[in-house]
Amino acid sequence: QVKLVESGGGSVQPGASLRLSCAISGPITRFNCVGWFRQTPGGEREGLAIITQGGMMWHENSVEGRFTASRDVSKNTLYLQMNALKPEDTGTYTCAAASYSCTFSKASVVAFPYRGQGTQVTVSS
């Protein structure tokens, strides 16, 4: 059974940083792609970042330069470092994984079949 568990969310002020973690059961390298997406308070799901099995990375344009996805293969953990947070970054952040070759797009990561329960991030002053 595949299990993904996120942690690290919270309530912060604009400009702050947070690092989200996603602990994955079993070898993270067995997935072709892992990544992050968020669901906004309005219900929209937005793909944010993808890392392939070979280490290639993609970040969505609106967060590139502020958000950085990474992984620690030895710990089977995926991370999302978020800097310079804005109120519009508020949402539920979810990690996800796919065992098939993926494309680099917002819609791709949202469709990954394995996903965690999500962790809430709230950015407000």
Side-chain angles (χ1 to χ4, degrees):
Q1 182 180 358
V2 177
K3 191 172 183 181
L4 293 79
V5 180
E6 302 93 341
S7 61
S11 295
V12 297
Q13 294 188 334
S17 297
L18 281 175
R19 187 176 83 154
L20 306 183
S21 298
C22 172
I24 299 175
S25 61
I28 191 173
T29 53
R30 76 186 186 278
F31 297 108
N32 287 67
C33 299
V34 293
W36 292 93
F37 67 88
R38 67 186 174 195
Q39 183 161 340
T40 66
E44 180 183 3
R45 288 186 171 178
E46 305 173 332
L48 301 173
I50 295 171
I51 302 178
T52 70
Q53 189 180 63
M56 294 181 64
M57 285 192 281
W58 168 87
H59 293 84
E60 200 277 321
N61 286 341
S62 68
V63 302
E64 191 160 20
R66 297 191 301 124
F67 291 11
T68 304
S70 63
R71 63 179 181 174
D72 186 329
V73 174
S74 68
K75 296 181 179 179
N76 295 316
T77 301
L78 179 66
Y79 301 100
L80 185 66
Q81 177 67 43
M82 306 187 295
N83 299 326
L85 283 161
K86 306 175 182 179
E88 52 263 43
D89 293 319
T90 294
T92 301
Y93 286 68
T94 301
C95 60
S99 298
Y100 50 77
S101 296
C102 64
T103 57
F104 285 169
S105 71
K106 295 171 66 172
S108 174
V109 61
V110 171
F112 287 179
Y114 303 107
R115 56 188 66 177
Q117 294 298 309
T119 186
Q120 179 66 33
V121 172
T122 302
V123 185
S124 70
S125 54

